[in-house]
Amino acid sequence: ALRKAIEGIGKLRICLDSCKFYYTVTLELHFTVAVLCVYANKLPLCLNYHLVSLHFHLIQGAGTTESTLTEIFASRSNRQIKALSEAYLAETGRSMIHDLQSEVSGDYGKALFILAEGKRDESTNVDTSKAKADAKALYEAGEKKWGTDEAKFIDILCHRSIPQLRQTLVEYKAISKKTLQDSIESEMSGNLEKILVAVVKCVKNVPAYLAERLFKSMKGLGTTESTLTRILVSRSEIDLLDIRTEYKKLFGVSLYSQLESEVSGSYGNALKHLCGQDD
């Protein structure tokens, strides 16, 4: 059904209605990425896309979408990033890191490259004394001095384990009387600020960060369909229920009802099938 739908775009609605997205995780990822992105004109026709194709198209064509790269690499685990890197190489014959290096640069690039290597410390142990030392180092690299030592922020936020960083956030507030996010937003700007803030948000709560991304994609004039597609497809069997919960908690409306008001047609129906029932 999918092959016929791709060969004739007019048959896509029939395919969606008959398949209803009742697929295993592997088939669902292949199916939904292909169908949703073809329907939204995000990917070329007649290709059997791996999930990596979504990301491949971020750094091809007219310019690089830094906000999307930031979202992907700030919110994914080492395992997910390594799988993505391997799939990217198999799909394109090129290193993902190499392609990233040709597209982004500066301090933002340094932070992105570290995250894209997928080598964040994964220890579950928390060293409180180290968290205090890191918090003090961050304070002295930012709030306490004239100018900002961006390299110190990049090093700590992109290398330390998630549990360790959670403790560091606590210790930083005790020292600075401000949250680390507030300090980053006051000390930095541009894409570096955005990626470090994204890391901090994901340290605290990945589903809440992705719920915010979904909300912003549907806020104001127009809807960013690529963001809706990417998050709903890639998180459909990971933490989409948690994202739905955080969305309702943060914005007072369900994700499903927001989709109903923002997207329509077979594409909208497909997204609502992925989202699941109203909360």
Side-chain angles (χ1 to χ4, degrees), residues 150-187:
E150 290 87 356
K152 181 62 67 177
F153 281 80
I154 293 170
D155 178 42
I156 292 173
L157 290 174
C158 297
H159 281 116
R160 301 290 189 267
S161 72
I162 299 303
Q164 184 68 29
L165 283 174
R166 285 179 181 146
Q167 186 62 37
T168 301
L169 296 184
V170 173
E171 302 298 341
Y172 186 89
K173 190 169 184 180
I175 293 172
S176 175
K177 310 307 178 186
K178 294 173 63 175
T179 67
L180 184 55
Q181 180 177 334
D182 288 339
S183 293
I184 292 170
E185 289 173 342
S186 65
E187 293 290 320

Side-chain angles (χ1 to χ4, degrees), residues 21-270:
F21 291 85
Y22 298 144
Y23 284 77
T24 64
V25 60
T26 302
L27 288 177
E28 179 183 348
L29 287 175
H30 283 278
F31 175 79
T32 52
V33 168
V35 171
L36 294 181
C37 293
V38 164
Y39 193 79
N41 295 318
K42 301 301 175 189
L43 299 176
L45 303 179
C46 304
L47 287 176
N48 179 20
Y49 271 91
H50 188 279
L51 178 58
V52 70
S53 296
L54 275 176
H55 308 160
F56 168 64
H57 281 260
L58 300 178
I59 47 180
Q60 297 295 315
T64 301
T65 310
E66 283 83 358
S67 64
T68 306
L69 296 177
T70 293
E71 174 206 303
I72 291 169
F73 292 110
S75 64
R76 267 55 172 183
S77 66
N78 284 355
R79 180 182 58 81
Q80 290 169 330
I81 290 171
K82 288 175 182 175
L84 170 60
S85 181
E86 290 169 2
Y88 189 99
L89 179 62
E91 184 78 21
T92 68
R94 299 195 306 278
S95 160
M96 182 177 71
I97 293 290
H98 179 270
D99 278 358
L100 285 170
Q101 287 173 337
S102 69
E103 293 290 334
V104 294
S105 59
D107 289 329
Y108 171 72
K110 292 174 185 176
L112 190 71
F113 302 150
I114 294 171
L115 295 175
E117 286 176 346
K119 294 182 179 179
R120 182 186 291 282
D121 180 11
E122 293 186 315
S123 172
T124 57
N125 297 323
V126 174
D127 184 335
T128 303
S129 61
K130 185 176 182 180
K132 289 180 178 179
D134 280 347
K136 183 173 182 289
L138 289 169
Y139 178 65
E140 292 177 347
E143 290 287 334
K144 195 177 179 181
K145 64 176 290 187
W146 180 259
T148 305
D149 182 358
E150 290 87 356
K152 181 62 67 177
F153 281 80
I154 293 170
D155 178 42
I156 292 173
L157 290 174
C158 297
H159 281 116
R160 301 290 189 267
S161 72
I162 299 303
Q164 184 68 29
L165 283 174
R166 285 179 181 146
Q167 186 62 37
T168 301
L169 296 184
V170 173
E171 302 298 341
Y172 186 89
K173 190 169 184 180
I175 293 172
S176 175
K177 310 307 178 186
K178 294 173 63 175
T179 67
L180 184 55
Q181 180 177 334
D182 288 339
S183 293
I184 292 170
E185 289 173 342
S186 65
E187 293 290 320
M188 300 181 195
S189 61
N191 288 322
L192 178 62
E193 174 198 341
K194 291 174 184 176
I195 195 169
L196 294 182
V197 166
V199 169
V200 169
K201 288 181 177 180
C202 289
V203 165
K204 293 189 289 187
N205 190 330
V206 171
Y209 167 71
L210 293 175
E212 182 183 347
R213 288 281 294 164
L214 287 169
F215 177 78
K216 289 181 177 178
S217 75
M218 294 184 281
K219 185 180 179 182
L221 295 175
T223 298
T224 309
E225 292 177 346
S226 60
T227 299
L228 292 178
T229 301
R230 180 179 58 258
I231 294 176
L232 289 173
V233 170
S234 67
R235 312 304 290 199
S236 61
E237 292 195 357
I238 298 175
D239 55 3
L240 187 52
L241 288 176
D242 294 329
I243 293 170
R244 281 168 40 181
T245 299
E246 294 296 335
Y247 196 97
K248 184 76 173 284
K249 186 189 303 182
L250 289 169
F251 307 113
V253 295
S254 71
L255 176 58
Y256 188 93
S257 64
Q258 196 75 32
L259 289 171
E260 278 194 314
S261 66
E262 295 293 334
V263 290
S264 59
S266 294
Y267 175 68
N269 290 337

